[in-house]
């Protein structure tokens, strides 16, 4: 197969790298890609959110499969356009991508499917915000009811901070979603979904806050690890049967069956799993860790979903041990990150590019908030951490920062359900 990956981040770099190792994949193409992706794929300067440009490239390059990484093209219907052109596509339709594009839609689907989630309320006017806030707390969860790249959520015990965030969202013209706070450690479970067929990948845990010890503002994710040594046996099967399968069936019932990667973000509390959010695509940065342990051919698995044959796919094979990804971020991220700084030491397959570009003189420079992801793989989580942080020590980015505690609480046995 000739496979075209749409997107330009570290998630897409991880996908392109895994696809390049699949003996059934003869060529990997990427659009728009980045300098790291260019080492394993042919890159094309195409707008990922333009259905017309993506279809034209896929047709011209005679690709056999299109894999869409980010949520924005999916919500805009790029997958629909690719399929309409007769090309298999890994990624849900615009109708199914509403599971991420509208949190209110996701809540409605969960209610109909009987899936446990936080109590929620949509507020669309500053006039009613105070009254609504009074119905929540003592920890407030305030979300933008749209796509916010992981940064539209504030979780706080400070009512004034909750109110300020809600007002800011409303002033930007978006409704606000207030939610009750879910207790318990969070888990990201990615599932290949083809209608009502569900195949889970390894569970992972993201680290959303910018600072060590989970302090500071939310980011798009500062690192992740897999598997989860503290997760009780049978939890993945329980999430599949209690959460993912009922939601997949409900979407089929509504005429917007899901085809692609359904990402369930969950809190594992005393009563079992409860959904924090759904995403309609591979999560970033968890994908980077999860794919580092996948031994099955990725192209074959994604193509099975795209062609409606997931039920016939042999069981996925995973290597033993653990994997971790640590994000190297630019100075000032997640506020207004500095860009244009020269990066050195970023060579090798264990460094995935997220926000980089090549300067005219050939120097690799930063061009985004999350600049690089460093992958560590080992026989256990402790060894994987050591590998990642040893590599990070060799990379130089002026003003760059990263968390030194990714996966540490799990290694030290400080997480429990």
């Amino acid at each position: 197969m000739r496979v075209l990956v749409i997107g330009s981040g570290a998630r897409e770099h991880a996908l392109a790298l895994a696809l390049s190792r699949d003996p059934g994949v003869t060529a990997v193409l990427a659009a728009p890609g980045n300098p790291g992706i260019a080492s394993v794929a042919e890159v094309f300067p195409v707008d990922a959110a333009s259905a017309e440009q993506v279809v034209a490239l896929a047709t011209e390059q005679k690709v056999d499969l299109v894999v869409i990484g980010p949520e924005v093209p999916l919500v805009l219907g790029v997958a629909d356009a690719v399929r309409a052109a007769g090309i298999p596509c890994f990624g849900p339709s615009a109708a199914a991508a509403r599971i991420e594009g509208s949190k209110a839609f996701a809540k409605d689907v969960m209610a109909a499917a009987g899936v446990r989630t936080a109590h929620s309320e949509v507020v669309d006017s500053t006039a009613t915000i105070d009254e609504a806030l009074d119905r929540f707390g003592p920890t407030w969860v305030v979300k933008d009811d749209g796509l916010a790249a992981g940064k539209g959520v504030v979780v706080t015990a400070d009512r004034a901070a909750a109110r300020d965030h809600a007002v800011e969202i409303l002033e930007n013209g978006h409704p606000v979603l207030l939610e009750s706070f879910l207790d318990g450690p969070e888990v990201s479970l990615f599932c290949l979904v083809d209608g009502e067929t569900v195949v889970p990948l390894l569970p992972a845990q993201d680290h959303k806050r910018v600072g060590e010890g989970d302090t500071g503002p939310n980011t798009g994710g500062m690192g992740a690890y897999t598997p989860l040594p503290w997760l009780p046996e049978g939890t993945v099967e329980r999430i599949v049967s209690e959460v993912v399968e009922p939601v997949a069936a409900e979407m089929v019932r509504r005429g917007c069956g899901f085809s692609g990667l359904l990402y369930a973000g969950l809190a594992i509390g005393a009563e079992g799993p409860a959904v924090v959010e759904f995403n309609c695509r591979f999560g970033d940065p968890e994908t980077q860790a999860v794919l580092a342990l996948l031994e099955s051919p990725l192209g074959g698995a994604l193509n099975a979903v795209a062609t409606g044959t997931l039920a016939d796919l042999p069981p996925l094979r995973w290597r033993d041990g653990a994997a971790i990804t640590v994000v190297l971020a630019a100075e000032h991220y997640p506020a207004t990150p500095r860009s244009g700084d020269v990066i050195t030491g970023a060579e090798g397959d264990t460094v995935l590019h997220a926000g980089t570009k090549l300067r005219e003189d050939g120097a690799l420079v930063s061009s985004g908030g999350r600049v690089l992801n460093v992958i560590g793989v080992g026989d256990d989580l402790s060894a994987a951490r050591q590998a990642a942080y040893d590599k990070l020590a060799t990379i130089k980015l002026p003003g760059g920062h990263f968390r030194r505690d990714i996966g540490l609480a799990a290694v030290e046995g400080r997480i429990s359900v």
Side-chain angles (χ1 to χ4, degrees):
M1 289 188 296
R2 290 170 58 78
V3 184
L4 170 61
V5 177
I6 302 299
S8 63
R11 164 185 49 214
E12 288 76 32
H13 191 169
L15 288 165
L17 189 60
L19 287 164
S20 73
R21 293 170 173 160
D22 180 340
V25 173
T26 50
V28 183
L29 302 82
N34 65 38
I37 293 172
S39 67
V40 291
E42 189 179 355
V43 298
F44 298 85
V46 159
D47 178 0
S50 165
E52 199 177 344
Q53 288 184 35
V54 170
V55 168
L57 176 64
T59 306
E60 178 188 305
Q61 291 296 323
K62 299 184 169 56
V63 304
D64 303 293
L65 175 66
V66 175
V67 177
I68 300 178
E71 61 274 23
V72 171
L74 294 167
V75 170
L76 292 176
V78 173
D80 302 84
V82 171
R83 281 191 279 267
I87 301 165
C89 184
F90 182 84
S93 64
R98 285 179 297 166
I99 196 88
E100 177 171 2
S102 165
K103 292 179 181 65
F105 173 79
K107 289 287 184 188
D108 193 50
V109 168
M110 284 186 272
V115 168
R116 286 187 68 235
T117 184
H119 164 67
S120 66
E121 198 173 314
V122 176
V123 182
D124 55 12
S125 154
T126 49
T128 56
I129 193 69
D130 287 302
E131 190 186 327
L133 284 168
D134 289 342
R135 291 191 282 273
F136 290 84
T139 299
W140 285 269
V141 180
V142 185
K143 296 184 177 183
D144 185 326
D145 185 35
L147 294 180
K151 297 192 284 285
V153 182
V154 162
V155 180
T156 180
D158 181 340
R159 190 184 189 283
R163 188 184 193 282
D164 288 347
H165 187 59
V167 169
E168 184 187 346
I169 292 169
L170 290 165
E171 285 175 348
N172 286 335
H174 295 191
V176 167
L177 191 77
L178 296 180
E179 284 188 346
S180 57
F181 179 69
L182 294 171
D183 70 317
E186 288 201 11
V187 172
S188 301
L189 185 67
F190 301 166
C191 294
L192 300 175
V193 176
D194 163 18
E196 294 192 38
T197 304
V198 175
V199 175
L201 307 189
L202 293 180
Q205 187 176 54
D206 184 14
H207 296 61
K208 280 284 185 203
R209 304 260 185 186
V210 72
E212 279 157 38
D214 293 325
T215 56
N218 268 341
T219 69
M222 292 299 290
Y225 66 96
T226 184
L228 309 178
W230 48 266
L231 196 65
E233 203 172 328
T235 304
V236 167
E237 293 77 7
R238 189 173 171 188
I239 293 167
V240 169
S241 64
E242 292 182 13
V243 174
V244 186
E245 287 177 344
V247 162
E250 173 61 20
M251 292 183 77
V252 168
R253 195 187 66 76
R254 291 176 179 225
C256 57
F258 197 94
S259 170
L261 193 292
L262 187 58
Y263 160 159
L266 308 121
I268 311 295
E271 295 171 39
V275 176
V276 175
E277 64 175 355
F278 278 110
N279 290 330
C280 64
R281 38 72 197 182
F282 276 105
D284 185 345
E286 300 100 319
T287 298
Q288 291 84 299
V290 170
L291 291 184
L293 296 182
L294 180 67
E295 287 189 334
S296 296
L298 180 64
L302 303 187
N303 191 57
V305 177
T307 56
T309 58
L310 181 61
D312 304 326
L313 187 74
L316 295 177
R317 298 188 317 278
W318 302 93
R319 67 154 281 179
D320 292 335
I324 183 174
T325 180
V326 182
V327 172
L328 176 61
E331 188 170 10
H332 306 314
Y333 178 78
T336 306
R338 204 169 82 179
S339 61
D341 288 309
V342 174
I343 305 158
T344 57
E347 298 75 31
D349 274 358
T350 61
V351 181
L352 303 178
H353 291 230
T356 66
K357 66 177 183 183
L358 289 177
R359 216 165 53 186
E360 282 178 12
D361 64 0
L364 184 70
V365 298
S366 58
S367 67
R370 293 186 293 174
V371 180
L372 297 171
N373 284 199
V374 176
I375 308 298
V377 175
D379 290 337
D380 58 22
L381 187 50
S382 188
R385 277 176 45 80
Q386 187 73 48
Y389 286 109
D390 284 352
K391 178 61 184 177
L392 261 165
T394 70
I395 299 173
K396 299 288 179 281
L397 169 66
H401 60 98
F402 58 89
R403 281 182 57 167
R404 288 171 172 78
D405 65 345
I406 304 300
L408 184 59
V411 169
E412 294 181 346
R414 290 187 280 117
I415 305 179
S416 61
V417 174

